[in-house]
Amino acid sequence: MKRQPLLLALLLSPTLVFAAEGMWTLDHPPLAQMRKELGTAPDAALLTKLMRGSARIAGGCSASFVSPEGLVLTNHHCVAECVEQLSTASQDRLRDGFLAKNRAEEANCPAMEVNRLESITDVTPQVRAATKGLSGEAFSNAFNAIKAKLAADCVGSDSKTQRCDVVDLYRGGQYKLYQYHRFQDVRLAFAPEQAIANFGGDPDNFNFPRYDLDMALIRVYENGQPAVVKDYLPFRREGAAAGEAVYVTGHPGATQRSLTVAQLQALRNHAIPARLLNMAEYRGRLAQYSRSGTEQARMANSELFYLENGFKVYKGELDALNDPQLFAAKQAEEAALRRFVASRPALAKTHGQAWAAIEQALARYEPLRTLDDQLAHGKAFNSQLFQIARTLVRGAVERSKPNEQRLPEFAEAGLPTLEAELFSAAPIYPEFEKIKLGFSLEKMRELLGADAPLVKRVLGKQSPDQLAAQWIDGSKLADVALRRQLWNGGEAAVRQSQDPFIQLALSLDDEARALRKRVERELDAVVQKNAELIAQARFAMKGDSVYPDATFTLRLSYGRVEGWQEGEQAVPPFTTLGGTFERATGAEPFALPASWLNARSRLNPAQPFNLSSSNDIIGGNSGSPMVNARGEVVGLVFDGNIHSIGGAFAYDPRLNRTVAVHAGAIAETLDKVYDAQALLKELLGR
Amino acid sequence: MKRQPLLLALLLSPTLVFAAEGMWTLDHPPLAQMRKELGTAPDAALLTKLMRGSARIAGGCSASFVSPEGLVLTNHHCVAECVEQLSTASQDRLRDGFLAKNRAEEANCPAMEVNRLESITDVTPQVRAATKGLSGEAFSNAFNAIKAKLAADCVGSDSKTQRCDVVDLYRGGQYKLYQYHRFQDVRLAFAPEQAIANFGGDPDNFNFPRYDLDMALIRVYENGQPAVVKDYLPFRREGAAAGEAVYVTGHPGATQRSLTVAQLQALRNHAIPARLLNMAEYRGRLAQYSRSGTEQARMANSELFYLENGFKVYKGELDALNDPQLFAAKQAEEAALRRFVASRPALAKTHGQAWAAIEQALARYEPLRTLDDQLAHGKAFNSQLFQIARTLVRGAVERSKPNEQRLPEFAEAGLPTLEAELFSAAPIYPEFEKIKLGFSLEKMRELLGADAPLVKRVLGKQSPDQLAAQWIDGSKLADVALRRQLWNGGEAAVRQSQDPFIQLALSLDDEARALRKRVERELDAVVQKNAELIAQARFAMKGDSVYPDATFTLRLSYGRVEGWQEGEQAVPPFTTLGGTFERATGAEPFALPASWLNARSRLNPAQPFNLSSSNDIIGGNSGSPMVNARGEVVGLVFDGNIHSIGGAFAYDPRLNRTVAVHAGAIAETLDKVYDAQALLKELLGR
C-alpha cells in the first residue's frame, strides 16, 4: 500500500486537534469539540453506560456486554487461543468453529479474564509525593512501591472480583487509579470457522475492502451462573449507516505520539529493525514447519497468526518512521515545545534539560539492548516452559517479600491473573516448543556472538537444537499439578527441583535481575522522570486540549462511517456479504468454509459485511463495540486499514480508518449460516 | 559485536587518505603513499606479476594462479556450487570433500569461468563523446550502445578466450576497457570438507579469531590440457609474519563510498530493510526445510550459505548507516564538496545541481521500487526455471538485434558466459524449486497486495504453493537439450513452446521491459549522468589522491598483518591449528570432520591457521592472494572481520580487518590431513 505524505501543517499546529483524532479517557471527553465536529456528543448517562457496557479482555483485547445475562461480544482473534485450547488432534475448533447449543455446552476458557471498569480516581499527588526528589534506583523503587500500595489498598480483601491498576497517563503527566470488576470464569458460546473469521488471512490483514466475520460470543459466569449484567449495550440489527456518527470504546494498547525525537530515532534505527528481523526469520521457520503436516499447522496456527499480525504492525511503524515528512513534523513539534520552554526562564530551569536527559540515557542503553532483550527479557528462551520456570523461581522469592518491595508483576493486585495463567491447563506441545526454543537459542548465539560469556555458559558443547530437545524432553513443567506444588512449596521446593528449566532459570536469575535493575536505574527511571517533565511542559503550552498516549485502558474515540481517498481511488465504506463470494478463490486464505458455501442462496448479498470509519484506534481496540449516538452496538471493531498502523505516531484524518464487522452481518450469519437462534435472540433482546 | 564510533575527523578531512585505505586500480597505485606508510611499494615488474598472477572467478570471487600448469588457489566457498553439483544423494562432496588423485580425476565445474586481466585501456573520451548532451532514454541507449561496441571490438572474433568489459570507475569519472583472457574449462582438484572450510558456520562468519580452511584448488584447462601459465605467484610455505607488509590483489565487488547522502538514505530507509526482511524470512523457511531431512539439507545447503552470508552483510551495512557518527561524517563530506563547487561559479553552474537531481530521481523512484523488484528484477519468481525461461524468451528477441541495440546482458561480449550458465548441467531439484518459488510468489502478494493487477493476473484462483507446484511439475526446462533447442530455435521456437515458465515469461515480458526502461530513463540515467558530474567535482577538489568505488575489477590493497583493539580487548592477528580443536564442540557448526580428528596428533598445534591484516577489502575479494613484498603468496583471503562490513561506506583503519588462511596451514593440512602430496609439491614448486 502506498503511504501518502502527511500534511506537515497538521502536526505543526500546537493546539489544533482534528476531526476524529484522539483516544480520550472517559473522564475527560472533548465534548465541545465533538459537538462541533460530529454534531453530537454523549451525555453523562451515555458515558456511564459506555463505560459499564465496555469490557477488557486481559490478554490484550476489548469487548462489550451485550445481554443482561453476561453475554460478551468480541473478535474471533481475541478468543482464538481458547478455541485452539478446546481443540484436539481429532477435533479442530479453529477450523470447524464452535457453537454451544445451550448454556451447559458453553466451554471454559481457562486463561481468559474479563474486566469491567468501575471507577477512575486521580492519584497523581500520591505518586508525586512518593517519588519527589528521587532519581535512579531510589526513584524506581519508590515508584513501584507506591503503585503497588495504591493498587493493593484499592483491591482490599476481594481480589477474586476486584482489580486495580495505577495507570500512567500522559507519560507521567497524570496517574490514575482504575478500579475494575474482574470476571475469571469465562466460557465460549460461539466462534465461527477461522476461514471466515480471518478470511483473506495475512494478505488481507489491515486491508480494506474486507470480508471477515471476526466475531465471537463469550459469556462471563459468577458462582457457576451467568453473570447478571445491568449495564449492557443493546445490539442494533440495522447496524451502522454511511456517514453516521459513531463512538468506539475500547482499550487501545499503546501509542507513541508523545515520544521525544530521540526515542523515535531509537525505535527506527534499533528497536524496530531488530524486532522485525527476528520476527521475519521466525515467521519463515513457523510457516515452513506448518507445511510439514496438518497437526504441525494446527500447533503453530495461533503463534503464526500473532506473529504475522505483529510483523505487519512493526513494518508499518518502521515505514511511518522512515517517512521523511512524518519525522520532520515530529522534529518540528518537539522544537516548538522546546522553544516554548526556553522562552519561560522558570520552566526552562526545571524542565529544559528533559529531552537531552532522555537522549543520553538511550545512548548509554544502546550497547546493552541485545543482552537486555536476550537475558533480562528472556527472548533467548522462547518456550512456555521457561516462562513458567522463571515465574516459579521468581514468584517463590518475590511472594515472600512485602508487597511494595516486589517486582511489579508479583504485586498482590496482579496475582489472580498471574495464577490463572500459570495454572492454565492449555496444552503445551513438546515438538513445537523445541522449534521455538531451538530457534531462540540460535538467535541468542547469533546476536550476542558465539564467544559471549552467556552463550558459552548456556550452550556449552551443544547445539541450540540439541539443547532445546534435551531440556524439553527432560522437563515436567507441562504438568499443572507440579506447577501448583512448586508454587505452593515456595523457595525450598523450587531450589530442590531438578527440572532443567527450573535449574536454568535459577542459574540465570542473579545476572538477569542485575541487568534489569541496571536498565531500570539507567534508562527507565530517567525516561519516566523526564517524560513527566515534558508532559508538564506540554500541559503548560497546550492546556487540557490533549489526550494521553494509549495505555490499554478504556478510551473513547469518535468518528463517522466513511471511506477514504487512496491516491486516485475512492474507497467506499462498506463491503457486502455477496462480495465475499466473489473474492473467494477456493485456495487458502481465500477459501470459504462449507457452511458459507451451503448458505449462499439464503444470505442477502446486499447486506453490509465490513465497514470503515474515521475513529482513531490502535491494536488493543480489537473487539471494541462501535456504537451509535444512542449507545447501540452497530458494529464490531476488529482492525484498522493499513494507514492506521502509522497511527502509533500520528493520526492522519484523511487516511486512518477503523475496520469493523457490521452488526447486520453478525445477525444475518448467526441466523442463516450458523442457525444460532438462541444466541441471536439473546443478542437482539427478544 | 560492538561497533565503535568512527572518528568524525577521519572522514571529514578532504584529502587525507589513511594507512591501508583504498582498493586501488593496478594502473594507478598510490606508490608514494605506500612507501611512506608501509615502507615498501611494488615496482613495475611486481605490479605486472600481480596483475597476471591474479584471477577472477566470474561468479563473484577472486583467485590466483599458483603453478605453471594452471593450478588456481581460491576459497572453498567460491567453488561450493561446483562441489554441490558434483554431489549426489549417495555421495555428498560438500560433506566429504574432494581430492583428485591425479589429473584425470579432476572434475569439470560446468558453470565456472576464470578470467585473467591482460590490459587496461582508457575509453573515457569515447564514452563521453557518445553520450554528450543526451539525457533519459537517449542517454541510456547511447551509453549501453558504446559500451557494447567497445567490448565487441575488443573481443574481436575470439570470444572463446577473450573477454572485454567497459568498466565504470569513479561512478562515471572514468571509463576503462578491461581485457581478459577467459578460461572456460575449469576443473576441481581439491576441496576439503565443508565442516572445516566453514568451521563455525554462520555464527563465526565475519568473526575473528577464526579457524577455517576455506580453500580449494582448481585447474584451468585449454584444449583439454592444463593451461600453461607463465606468470603465476609462487607459494611461500612459511606464510605471513606478524607486522609484515602485505598486498591483496583481487576483485572487490562493490563499495558505496562515493554515494550521495540521498542515495545512502534510500539504502538505509528503503532498499536494505526491504531486502533484509525478505532474506530473514526466506532464511527461516530454508533453515526449517533443511531440518526436514538430510537430502533436503543437502539441496538447500548452498542457497542457505549465500543467504546467511548476504544477510550478515546487509545487516552490517544497515548498522553502519544507522551509526549517527558515520552518517554525520558522510553529510559533512558531501557538504564540503558542495561548498567547494558552490565557491567556483563556473563549476557551480555546470555541476551544482547534481546532488538535487539524484535526490529527486530517487524520490520519484520510491513508489516504483516494489514493482521494479518483483516484476522487472523477477524477484516474484525465484526459480532457476523461470530465470532460464526469461533468458530464452529475451535471448531470442535480443540476439536478432544489432549488438549495440541489445539489452546489455545479451551483448556479444557476454554471450559465452551466459551460454555456459544457460546450458549448465547442474541439477535442478523440483522439490526445492517449489519451496523457493512458492515463497517468492507469496511475498509478491504480500508486498504488492492481493488486489494488485499483477498479483491477480499471476495467481488467479490459486495459492502461491499450488501455482509453484503446478508450474514446476509442468516444466521441462530442467532438460539442457531442450534449452539448447529453444535457444537455437529463436523466437519462433520460444513462442511455440507450451512450457509454463516460457509462457509465464512471455506473458510478463512487455510489462517487465517497459518498467525496466522507465527505471533506466527516470532513475539510472539521471544517477549516471549526475554521478559523473560529482566525480568530476571530486577530482577538481581532491586531484587524483582518490581511488574509485569497487566494481568487481582487479584492485590492489596494502596493509600489514595485524590485529586490532576491540573495546578493552586486544585481538591478536593469528589463530593456530591447535586452537581449532579447543573451539570444536562436536556439534554443528563447530564439529570437526573425522579427517581432522584423526590427524590431530600429527599436526603442529602452533602452526598459524587464520590471520588478520589491515588490508581494505570487501565481498568479491574472497579467494584473493595475500602476497608479501616479493610477490609470494603468504595467505589466502576469505573474509573480513565484522567491522569490515561497514567498509562498504567507509574504511576505519582502527577496526577494519581482512581475514585470511595462513599459507603454512594450507601446506600443513594438505600434507598431514589430506595426504595431497602431488598438489602440495606442485604448489611448493618442487
Side-chain angles (χ1 to χ4, degrees):
Chain A
M1 281 286 208
K2 279 172 272 170
R3 230 194 115 71
Q4 295 190 343
L6 270 169
L7 290 179
L8 206 66
L10 293 183
L11 278 162
L12 285 176
S13 166
T15 50
L16 178 66
V17 177
F18 327 111
E21 175 169 353
M23 303 172 191
W24 301 86
T25 56
L26 269 75
D27 58 352
H28 179 52
L31 298 177
Q33 186 181 308
M34 289 161 83
R35 268 181 224 111
K36 191 174 143 208
E37 291 171 355
L38 204 61
T40 183
D43 59 16
L46 181 54
L47 280 172
T48 303
K49 188 176 166 184
L50 289 175
M51 182 172 108
R52 310 270 310 203
S54 300
R56 181 169 83 164
I57 298 180
C61 274
S62 301
S64 56
F65 294 97
V66 287
S67 92
E69 295 177 276
L71 196 64
V72 171
L73 176 64
T74 186
N75 294 147
H76 181 277
H77 75 264
C78 295
V79 305
E81 213 172 306
C82 171
V83 178
E84 197 172 33
Q85 289 163 10
L86 295 174
S87 301
T88 60
S90 63
Q91 177 136 40
D92 185 340
R93 296 293 196 181
L94 277 171
R95 189 190 60 208
D96 304 334
F98 179 90
L99 173 62
K101 284 197 217 86
N102 49 54
R103 299 215 174 145
E105 282 192 3
E106 292 178 350
N108 188 241
C109 291
M112 282 186 80
E113 175 177 320
V114 169
N115 300 149
R116 180 179 65 206
L117 181 60
E118 303 284 331
S119 70
I120 304 174
T121 315
D122 191 7
V123 292
T124 313
Q126 291 94 312
V127 176
R128 292 261 194 280
T131 58
K132 193 173 178 185
L134 302 178
S135 67
E137 192 161 339
F139 176 93
S140 282
N141 290 345
F143 184 65
N144 290 337
I146 185 67
K147 290 199 294 181
K149 180 178 164 19
L150 288 165
D153 289 353
C154 166
V155 167
S157 60
D158 190 9
S159 69
K160 283 267 179 253
T161 65
Q162 292 292 307
R163 175 180 179 139
C164 297
D165 298 327
V166 175
V167 178
D168 171 354
L169 297 170
Y170 302 96
R171 300 195 178 270
Q174 292 177 353
Y175 296 95
K176 299 226 171 161
L177 187 65
Y178 275 54
Q179 184 201 357
Y180 299 93
H181 189 87
R182 177 200 295 277
F183 298 93
Q184 281 198 302
D185 185 350
V186 180
R187 305 187 193 175
L188 184 66
F190 170 71
E193 304 91 336
Q194 194 176 35
I196 188 63
N198 186 28
F199 182 72
D202 179 67
D204 269 4
N205 193 15
F206 289 106
N207 277 0
F208 191 85
R210 192 74 163 281
Y211 305 85
D212 285 5
L213 188 68
D214 194 352
M215 71 163 289
L217 290 163
I218 54 180
R219 192 184 304 278
V220 291
Y221 281 70
E222 291 195 303
N223 306 314
Q225 296 298 318
V228 177
V229 173
K230 204 171 55 114
D231 296 310
Y232 65 93
L233 301 177
F235 186 87
R236 179 174 165 82
R237 183 175 192 150
E238 292 74 12
E244 187 174 12
V246 284
Y247 308 123
V248 169
T249 51
H251 297 79
T255 52
Q256 278 93 28
R257 294 185 188 172
S258 59
L259 292 193
T260 68
V261 168
Q263 287 176 299
L264 294 175
Q265 248 158 355
L267 284 175
R268 183 191 70 184
N269 295 2
H270 304 294
I272 296 182
R275 196 172 299 200
L276 272 175
L277 291 175
N278 188 277
M279 290 172 95
E281 189 174 348
Y282 186 39
R283 179 188 184 186
R285 286 279 191 106
L286 294 192
Q288 192 63 36
Y289 176 71
S290 292
R291 282 166 169 76
S292 63
T294 313
E295 181 58 7
Q296 281 75 13
R298 192 180 73 77
M299 289 190 285
N301 180 301
S302 153
E303 180 93 350
L304 191 53
F305 172 84
Y306 289 111
L307 184 64
E308 290 185 335
N309 186 64
F311 181 84
K312 226 171 196 179
V313 169
Y314 285 115
K315 178 64 170 55
E317 291 189 3
L318 185 63
D319 289 343
L321 290 172
N322 274 326
D323 176 341
Q325 287 192 271
L326 183 141
F327 214 82
K330 287 287 177 184
Q331 288 172 313
E333 190 184 34
E334 179 168 307
L337 182 55
R338 294 177 76 164
R339 275 196 308 274
F340 172 86
V341 170
S343 69
R344 280 155 183 75
L347 199 60
K349 195 172 166 201
T350 49
H351 292 63
Q353 295 308 308
W355 290 268
I358 289 177
E359 185 167 8
Q360 288 153 14
L362 284 166
R364 279 195 306 272
Y365 173 67
E366 206 44 59
L368 285 181
R369 177 188 298 282
T370 305
L371 190 61
D372 186 35
D373 279 350
Q374 297 296 313
L375 175 63
H377 293 275
K379 289 209 177 145
F381 311 100
N382 182 24
S383 165
Q384 288 185 61
L385 298 173
F386 175 76
Q387 295 308 324
I388 289 166
R390 179 170 269 189
T391 301
L392 290 170
V393 164
R394 292 195 169 166
V397 177
E398 294 299 312
R399 285 182 303 143
S400 69
K401 295 179 185 171
N403 183 39
E404 291 152 41
Q405 291 171 25
R406 297 180 193 170
L407 293 173
E409 65 270 30
F410 293 99
E412 227 28 75
L415 287 184
T417 309
L418 187 148
E419 290 184 356
E421 281 169 17
L422 181 62
F423 303 137
S424 160
I428 295 173
Y429 306 109
E431 176 187 321
F432 185 51
E433 292 298 300
K434 287 177 192 173
I435 301 287
K436 289 162 56 183
L437 182 58
F439 175 72
S440 68
L441 289 170
E442 190 180 304
K443 290 304 108 178
M444 169 188 71
R445 182 176 67 189
E446 176 173 324
L447 293 166
L448 294 173
D451 294 310
L454 177 70
V455 175
K456 289 175 108 157
R457 189 150 55 85
V458 168
L459 291 184
K461 294 262 176 190
Q462 285 178 289
S463 76
D465 283 356
Q466 287 172 340
L467 199 58
Q470 178 187 312
W471 283 343
I472 284 164
D473 289 338
S475 176
K476 301 267 181 291
L477 292 178
D479 176 2
V480 177
L482 173 65
R483 289 181 226 159
R484 275 192 199 279
Q485 192 185 314
L486 289 168
W487 184 251
N488 295 330
E491 213 175 331
V494 165
R495 292 213 166 265
Q496 274 165 32
S497 168
Q498 295 301 304
D499 193 277
F501 284 108
I502 296 282
Q503 295 196 328
L504 174 67
L506 279 170
S507 76
L508 297 172
D509 211 41
D510 287 350
E511 196 182 340
R513 280 173 178 266
L515 181 55
R516 174 169 166 173
K517 276 280 167 218
R518 181 173 168 193
V519 172
E520 283 176 3
R521 185 174 65 234
E522 295 181 5
L523 179 67
D524 301 343
V526 178
V527 169
Q528 186 68 33
K529 262 180 79 85
N530 288 285
E532 283 186 8
L533 296 176
I534 293 170
Q536 290 160 1
R538 197 174 272 123
F539 284 142
M541 180 174 173
K542 303 189 181 182
D544 74 346
S545 69
V546 291
Y547 55 91
D549 261 326
T551 50
F552 195 42
T553 51
L554 190 63
R555 301 296 175 91
L556 172 75
S557 86
Y558 64 96
R560 289 188 187 282
V561 175
E562 55 180 326
W564 74 98
Q565 191 70 28
E566 183 73 45
E568 291 170 10
Q569 203 175 351
V571 181
F574 289 113
T575 63
T576 62
L577 287 180
T580 318
F581 294 94
E582 286 158 34
R583 191 167 184 77
T585 65
E588 278 194 16
F590 295 98
L592 286 170
S595 64
W596 276 61
L597 297 172
N598 294 336
R600 182 172 185 174
S601 63
R602 295 191 298 277
L603 288 169
N604 172 12
Q607 167 64 50
F609 190 1
N610 288 176
L611 64 97
S612 72
S613 74
S614 50
N615 298 73
D616 184 7
I617 64 161
I618 203 91
N621 268 112
S622 284
S624 289
M626 175 178 282
V627 299
N628 62 15
R630 290 184 303 281
E632 296 164 324
V633 175
V634 294
L636 167 62
V637 173
F638 71 98
D639 206 0
N641 71 353
I642 195 76
H643 306 293
S644 72
I645 298 175
F649 308 108
Y651 175 81
D652 185 338
R654 298 168 309 149
L655 296 172
N656 189 328
R657 293 293 176 270
T658 286
V659 174
V661 188
H662 192 270
I666 292 176
E668 175 86 353
T669 56
L670 282 179
D671 180 11
K672 295 183 183 162
V673 179
Y674 299 103
D675 196 22
Q677 302 305 338
L679 287 172
L680 180 59
K681 248 191 213 169
E682 186 177 353
L683 197 57
L684 298 177
R686 287 171 192 161
Chain B
M1 279 286 210
K2 278 173 274 168
R3 228 195 116 70
Q4 295 191 343
L6 271 168
L7 290 179
L8 206 63
L10 294 181
L11 278 162
L12 285 177
S13 165
T15 51
L16 178 65
V17 177
F18 325 112
E21 176 170 353
M23 305 173 190
W24 301 86
T25 56
L26 269 77
D27 58 353
H28 178 54
L31 299 175
Q33 186 180 310
M34 289 161 82
R35 270 182 221 109
K36 190 175 146 209
E37 291 170 357
L38 204 62
T40 183
D43 60 16
L46 182 53
L47 279 171
T48 302
K49 187 176 166 184
L50 289 175
M51 183 172 105
R52 312 270 308 204
S54 300
R56 181 170 83 163
I57 298 180
C61 274
S62 300
S64 57
F65 294 97
V66 288
S67 93
E69 296 178 277
L71 196 64
V72 172
L73 177 64
T74 186
N75 293 147
H76 181 276
H77 74 265
C78 294
V79 305
E81 214 171 306
C82 170
V83 177
E84 197 173 34
Q85 288 162 10
L86 295 173
S87 300
T88 60
S90 62
Q91 177 136 41
D92 185 341
R93 296 293 196 182
L94 278 171
R95 187 190 61 208
D96 303 335
F98 179 90
L99 173 62
K101 287 198 214 82
N102 50 53
R103 299 216 173 145
E105 282 192 3
E106 292 178 349
N108 188 241
C109 291
M112 282 187 79
E113 173 176 321
V114 170
N115 300 147
R116 180 179 63 205
L117 181 59
E118 302 286 331
S119 70
I120 302 174
T121 315
D122 191 5
V123 292
T124 312
Q126 291 94 312
V127 177
R128 290 260 194 279
T131 57
K132 193 171 179 187
L134 302 177
S135 67
E137 193 161 339
F139 177 93
S140 282
N141 290 344
F143 185 64
N144 290 338
I146 184 68
K147 290 199 295 181
K149 180 179 163 22
L150 288 165
D153 290 353
C154 166
V155 167
S157 60
D158 190 9
S159 70
K160 284 264 178 255
T161 65
Q162 292 293 306
R163 175 180 178 138
C164 297
D165 298 326
V166 175
V167 179
D168 171 355
L169 297 170
Y170 300 97
R171 300 195 178 269
Q174 292 178 353
Y175 296 95
K176 299 228 172 161
L177 187 66
Y178 275 54
Q179 184 201 357
Y180 299 93
H181 188 87
R182 176 201 296 278
F183 299 93
Q184 281 197 302
D185 184 350
V186 179
R187 305 186 193 177
L188 184 66
F190 170 71
E193 305 90 336
Q194 194 177 33
I196 187 63
N198 187 28
F199 182 73
D202 178 68
D204 269 4
N205 192 15
F206 289 105
N207 277 359
F208 192 87
R210 192 73 165 281
Y211 305 85
D212 285 4
L213 189 68
D214 193 352
M215 70 164 290
L217 289 163
I218 54 180
R219 192 184 302 280
V220 291
Y221 281 70
E222 291 194 304
N223 306 316
Q225 296 298 317
V228 177
V229 172
K230 205 170 56 113
D231 297 309
Y232 65 93
L233 302 177
F235 186 89
R236 180 173 165 82
R237 183 176 190 147
E238 291 75 11
E244 187 174 11
V246 284
Y247 308 122
V248 169
T249 53
H251 297 79
T255 52
Q256 278 92 28
R257 293 184 189 174
S258 59
L259 292 193
T260 67
V261 168
Q263 288 177 298
L264 295 175
Q265 249 159 352
L267 284 175
R268 183 190 70 184
N269 295 2
H270 304 294
I272 297 182
R275 197 172 298 202
L276 273 174
L277 289 175
N278 189 277
M279 292 171 94
E281 189 174 348
Y282 187 38
R283 179 187 185 187
R285 284 279 192 107
L286 294 191
Q288 192 63 36
Y289 176 71
S290 293
R291 281 166 168 77
S292 62
T294 313
E295 182 59 5
Q296 282 75 13
R298 191 180 74 76
M299 291 190 286
N301 180 300
S302 154
E303 179 92 351
L304 190 53
F305 172 84
Y306 289 111
L307 184 64
E308 290 185 334
N309 186 64
F311 181 85
K312 227 172 195 177
V313 170
Y314 285 115
K315 179 63 169 59
E317 291 189 3
L318 185 63
D319 288 345
L321 290 173
N322 274 327
D323 177 341
Q325 287 192 272
L326 183 141
F327 213 81
K330 287 287 178 184
Q331 287 171 313
E333 192 184 33
E334 178 168 305
L337 183 54
R338 293 177 77 163
R339 275 197 307 274
F340 173 84
V341 170
S343 70
R344 281 155 183 76
L347 198 60
K349 197 174 163 198
T350 49
H351 292 62
Q353 296 306 310
W355 291 268
I358 290 177
E359 185 168 6
Q360 288 154 13
L362 284 166
R364 278 195 305 272
Y365 173 68
E366 206 44 59
L368 286 180
R369 178 189 297 284
T370 306
L371 190 61
D372 186 36
D373 279 350
Q374 295 297 312
L375 174 64
H377 292 275
K379 288 207 178 146
F381 312 100
N382 182 23
S383 165
Q384 287 184 63
L385 299 173
F386 175 76
Q387 296 307 324
I388 289 166
R390 179 170 268 188
T391 301
L392 291 171
V393 164
R394 292 195 168 165
V397 177
E398 294 298 313
R399 285 181 302 143
S400 69
K401 295 180 186 170
N403 184 38
E404 290 152 44
Q405 291 170 23
R406 297 180 193 170
L407 293 174
E409 64 269 32
F410 293 100
E412 241 4 274
L415 287 185
T417 311
L418 186 148
E419 290 184 355
E421 281 169 19
L422 181 63
F423 303 138
S424 159
I428 295 173
Y429 306 109
E431 176 186 323
F432 185 50
E433 291 299 299
K434 288 178 193 174
I435 301 288
K436 289 162 55 184
L437 181 57
F439 176 72
S440 67
L441 289 171
E442 189 180 306
K443 290 304 109 178
M444 169 188 70
R445 182 176 67 188
E446 178 173 325
L447 294 166
L448 295 173
D451 294 311
L454 177 70
V455 175
K456 288 174 108 159
R457 189 150 55 85
V458 168
L459 291 184
K461 293 264 176 187
Q462 286 179 288
S463 77
D465 283 357
Q466 286 171 341
L467 199 57
Q470 178 186 312
W471 283 343
I472 285 162
D473 288 338
S475 177
K476 303 265 181 290
L477 293 178
D479 176 2
V480 177
L482 174 65
R483 288 181 227 160
R484 274 192 201 279
Q485 192 186 313
L486 290 168
W487 183 251
N488 295 331
E491 214 175 333
V494 165
R495 291 210 166 265
Q496 273 165 33
S497 167
Q498 295 302 305
D499 194 277
F501 283 107
I502 296 281
Q503 295 197 326
L504 174 67
L506 280 170
S507 75
L508 298 172
D509 211 40
D510 288 350
E511 196 183 340
R513 280 173 178 265
L515 181 56
R516 175 169 164 171
K517 276 283 166 215
R518 179 173 171 192
V519 172
E520 282 175 4
R521 184 174 66 235
E522 295 180 6
L523 178 67
D524 301 344
V526 178
V527 169
Q528 187 68 31
K529 262 180 80 84
N530 288 286
E532 281 186 9
L533 297 177
I534 294 171
Q536 290 160 2
R538 198 175 271 122
F539 284 142
M541 179 174 173
K542 303 188 180 183
D544 74 345
S545 70
V546 290
Y547 55 90
D549 261 326
T551 50
F552 194 42
T553 51
L554 191 62
R555 301 296 176 90
L556 173 74
S557 85
Y558 63 96
R560 289 188 187 284
V561 176
E562 55 181 325
W564 74 98
Q565 191 71 26
E566 183 73 46
E568 291 170 10
Q569 204 175 351
V571 181
F574 290 113
T575 64
T576 63
L577 288 179
T580 318
F581 295 93
E582 286 159 35
R583 189 166 187 76
T585 66
E588 275 193 19
F590 296 98
L592 287 169
S595 65
W596 276 61
L597 297 172
N598 293 336
R600 181 172 186 173
S601 63
R602 296 191 296 277
L603 289 169
N604 172 12
Q607 168 63 51
F609 190 2
N610 287 175
L611 65 96
S612 72
S613 74
S614 50
N615 299 73
D616 184 7
I617 64 160
I618 204 91
N621 267 111
S622 284
S624 289
M626 176 178 281
V627 301
N628 62 16
R630 292 184 302 283
E632 298 164 324
V633 175
V634 294
L636 166 63
V637 173
F638 71 100
D639 206 1
N641 70 354
I642 195 76
H643 306 293
S644 72
I645 298 175
F649 308 108
Y651 176 81
D652 185 338
R654 300 168 307 150
L655 296 172
N656 188 329
R657 293 294 177 270
T658 286
V659 173
V661 188
H662 192 268
I666 292 174
E668 175 86 353
T669 55
L670 281 178
D671 181 11
K672 296 182 183 163
V673 179
Y674 299 103
D675 197 23
Q677 301 305 337
L679 287 172
L680 180 59
K681 250 191 208 164
E682 185 178 353
L683 198 58
L684 299 177
R686 285 173 193 158

